Amino acid sequence: MLTDQKILIAEDEPVSRLVLQRLLKAFTCISVTNGQEALDVIHQERIDLVLLDIHMPIMDGFEVIERLKNNEETKDIPIIVITVNQSTEDEIRALDLGAVDFCN
């Protein structure tokens, strides 16, 4: 059942966060506004998918990907980067670190 899946939305822009939550209303979504909050939630909850912004305060998305992929307990959680940034360098870096997709 889809609603059993937990999606973590890590996005500092309120409007973008709200749009994602509405689009994914069939799922259980947890929203945070920075990378450190994302890591805190992931270590407390079973998360099935992370939708991650790259440019966030406190800890950026690149560091979040790196920490998750270097941790045996979280390395298999799929991460999709969702950002308005259209930098090819950011896309390559995110995918090289272990994100499964990059959407802008």
Side-chain angles (χ1 to χ4, degrees), residues 16-59:
S16 297
R17 207 170 42 248
L18 182 61
V19 168
L20 288 169
Q21 289 171 337
R22 287 186 178 171
L23 287 171
L24 299 166
K25 64 185 176 187
F27 300 91
T28 300
C29 292
I30 301 170
S31 295
V32 298
T33 60
N34 67 64
Q36 184 58 58
E37 289 177 350
L39 292 177
D40 292 345
V41 167
I42 288 168
H43 291 297
Q44 295 170 6
E45 301 271 344
R46 179 195 53 79
I47 299 296
D48 298 293
L49 173 66
V50 177
L51 299 180
L52 181 67
D53 185 17
I54 288 295
H55 302 286
M56 295 182 293
I58 302 175
M59 181 187 301

Side-chain angles (χ1 to χ4, degrees), residues 81-98:
V81 174
I82 297 181
T83 184
V84 295
N85 184 344
Q86 297 186 13
S87 164
T88 302
E89 293 82 18
D90 284 353
E91 181 175 357
I92 291 168
R93 183 174 176 201
L95 294 172
D96 283 348
L97 287 171

